[in-house]
Amino acid sequence: MGHTILILGACGQIGTELTLVLRERYGSDSVVASDIREGSDALMASGPFEMVDATNYSALEDVVMHYEIEEVYLMAAMLSATAEKFPMRAWNLNMNSLFNVLNLAREKKIGKVFWPSSIAVFGTTTPRENTPQNTIQEPSTVYGISKQAGERWCEYYCHKFGVDVRSLRFPGLISWKTLPGGGTTDYAVDIYRKALSQGSYTCFLSANTRLPMMFMDDAIRATIELMNSDAEAISVRSSYNLAAMSFSPAQIASSIQRHLPDFSIRYQPDFRQEIADSWPMSIDDSRSRADWGWKPEFDLDRTTEEMLRSLKN
Ligand code: AKB
């Protein structure tokens, strides 16, 4: 077996940046990007690309065998807001892609798997402040149900079949290279773009809706650090809580106003408000810190500086 990496969903918000960083680190030819559509010019020009539907087991197996893939990062998924509109499509995509990858690992065709979970595994009955690693999980969204089920399957495959699968419960992710698609936390990306292009933003969540968030550089670093940790250090095989900052739309607006004093925000909550209200406001990630040394670097003001500077350029 070679030491080659396959990214499924490489053209999405996380996949794009993860692919570029892994190529920088391990060499372009060692990282195969794949998706059901082509990605940004920068991504497409940076190394090998295969058009693959992660729900198609034999197509996936062909690519894995052809490139002698060792590690798979499964970043293809339908996010919370879109999944509410297409429940069965979301369930099929989110679960079948995961089963395909877990089964390839069970058959020893690949050695290691990364699969992202989410704060969406929690629900209204979960303690919302400093949400513990192990607590009540009664998600009320299709996406959250798929992530919760996925976590159970990851742990099951690890314990029953020795599959080396590793996972993080990502908060909302803020990035400038690729747009997020169909999430409840997407406003925290859109707001920076509209602040620069229009000087104002209409937010689909209410002013004081606090949610856990993270800048993409931290999320990519967390992913790579977890994947490079010794297997014995990883005591959680469902998915780790992971945190960096928590803020509300009103707080991100103030942070932007420090750079753009004329920026204004209006609130027009829609169906996504109910989703946000069911999620934690802050996360206790002490297990990640203890097991594999997690430490975030970006707070809200540093994120705002990076976002405005990069989007302007
Ligand atoms: C979403 O909003 O659906 C995602 C997530 C928090 O998992 N960004």
Side-chain angles (χ1 to χ4, degrees), residues 3-8 10 14-33 43 46-48 71-75 114 177 219-228:
H3 198 90
T4 314
I5 291 170
L6 174 65
I7 320 274
L8 298 163
I14 311 176
T16 300
E17 297 204 30
L18 181 64
T19 304
L20 295 172
V21 172
L22 288 174
R23 281 181 171 162
E24 186 91 349
R25 186 180 267 245
Y26 300 117
S28 292
D29 292 339
S30 301
V31 182
V32 181
L43 179 90
S46 67
E71 274 178 29
V72 173
Y73 294 70
L74 171 52
M75 315 315 282
F114 179 82
K177 285 193 184 150
I220 301 294
R221 189 169 52 79
T223 303
I224 295 173
E225 284 177 10
L226 177 66
M227 286 299 271
N228 288 343

Side-chain angles (χ1 to χ4, degrees), residues 269-291:
D270 66 14
F271 73 100
R272 288 167 281 195
Q273 183 67 47
E274 194 182 335
I275 301 177
D277 287 341
S278 78
W279 287 353
M281 293 188 277
S282 62
I283 297 285
D284 173 2
D285 65 355
S286 48
R287 196 75 172 262
S288 284
R289 290 169 186 257
D291 281 7

Side-chain angles (χ1 to χ4, degrees), residues 112-124:
K112 219 190 253 185
V113 174
F114 179 82
W115 174 78
S117 185
S118 162
I119 54 165
V121 295
F122 301 114
T124 51

Side-chain angles (χ1 to χ4, degrees), residues 21 48 56 101 124 155 172 177 188 218 234-235 272 279 297 302 313:
V21 172
N56 180 338
V101 172
T124 51
E155 191 185 270
K177 285 193 184 150
D218 269 347
I234 300 173
S235 65
R272 288 167 281 195
W279 287 353
E297 286 177 1
R302 189 163 170 215
N313 290 340

Side-chain angles (χ1 to χ4, degrees), residues 79-81 117-120 143 170-173 182-186 279:
L79 298 188
S80 57
S117 185
S118 162
I119 54 165
Y143 174 69
F170 282 130
L173 297 181
T184 302
T185 58
D186 294 8
W279 287 353

Side-chain angles (χ1 to χ4, degrees), residues 41-313:
D41 291 346
L43 179 90
M44 297 307 288
S46 67
F49 179 84
E50 293 284 339
M51 204 75 91
V52 182
D53 175 354
T55 64
N56 180 338
Y57 182 83
S58 62
L60 202 52
E61 189 183 27
D62 284 350
V63 173
V64 162
M65 300 320 275
H66 177 77
Y67 287 96
E68 300 187 5
I69 297 293
E70 166 65 10
E71 274 178 29
V72 173
Y73 294 70
L74 171 52
M75 315 315 282
M78 196 184 287
L79 298 188
S80 57
T82 311
E84 290 307 294
K85 295 183 182 152
F86 308 105
M88 285 301 108
R89 265 172 57 192
W91 180 258
N92 288 334
L93 169 60
N94 295 0
M95 298 313 295
N96 291 340
S97 57
L98 177 60
F99 279 124
N100 286 345
V101 172
L102 290 177
N103 283 327
L104 283 168
R106 181 185 174 180
E107 289 160 19
K108 308 271 182 267
K109 290 176 176 145
I110 51 177
K112 219 190 253 185
V113 174
F114 179 82
W115 174 78
S117 185
S118 162
I119 54 165
V121 295
F122 301 114
T124 51
T125 51
T126 304
R128 291 185 74 200
E129 276 298 357
N130 227 10
T131 301
Q133 173 69 38
N134 298 112
T135 183
I136 300 167
Q137 282 180 287
E138 295 183 321
S140 53
T141 62
V142 174
Y143 174 69
I145 296 168
S146 75
K147 289 297 184 190
Q148 184 196 33
E151 286 192 5
R152 299 288 83 226
W153 281 110
C154 286
E155 191 185 270
Y156 186 88
Y157 268 67
C158 177
H159 291 162
K160 293 278 172 181
F161 310 126
V163 167
D164 190 354
V165 53
R166 304 171 182 208
S167 177
L168 298 169
R169 289 176 182 149
F170 282 130
L173 297 181
I174 302 171
S175 64
W176 54 271
K177 285 193 184 150
T178 309
L179 283 169
T184 302
T185 58
D186 294 8
Y187 90 86
V189 174
D190 216 21
I191 192 169
Y192 289 111
R193 294 178 166 264
K194 295 275 168 32
L196 288 168
S197 66
Q198 297 173 11
S200 65
Y201 181 64
T202 303
C203 187
F204 58 75
L205 298 181
S206 63
N208 298 319
T209 307
R210 240 172 89 244
L211 287 170
M213 298 276 183
M214 181 174 284
F215 188 56
M216 186 60 85
D217 291 27
D218 269 347
I220 301 294
R221 189 169 52 79
T223 303
I224 295 173
E225 284 177 10
L226 177 66
M227 286 299 271
N228 288 343
S229 295
D230 288 341
E232 306 77 60
I234 300 173
S235 65
V236 175
R237 291 297 186 156
S238 51
S239 191
Y240 277 100
N241 275 7
L242 189 72
M245 56 184 143
S246 283
F247 58 77
S248 64
Q251 286 170 317
I252 194 175
S254 309
S255 175
I256 292 172
Q257 278 157 350
R258 284 197 267 281
H259 300 261
L260 304 168
D262 294 334
F263 171 67
S264 66
I265 183 163
R266 292 193 312 134
Y267 301 97
Q268 226 170 64
D270 66 14
F271 73 100
R272 288 167 281 195
Q273 183 67 47
E274 194 182 335
I275 301 177
D277 287 341
S278 78
W279 287 353
M281 293 188 277
S282 62
I283 297 285
D284 173 2
D285 65 355
S286 48
R287 196 75 172 262
S288 284
R289 290 169 186 257
D291 281 7
W292 50 276
W294 168 242
K295 201 165 178 289
E297 286 177 1
F298 287 81
D299 61 10
L300 175 56
D301 286 333
R302 189 163 170 215
T303 299
T304 296
E305 269 166 43
E306 277 295 311
M307 286 296 287
L308 294 178
R309 191 178 50 78
S310 303
L311 288 171
K312 244 188 259 170
N313 290 340

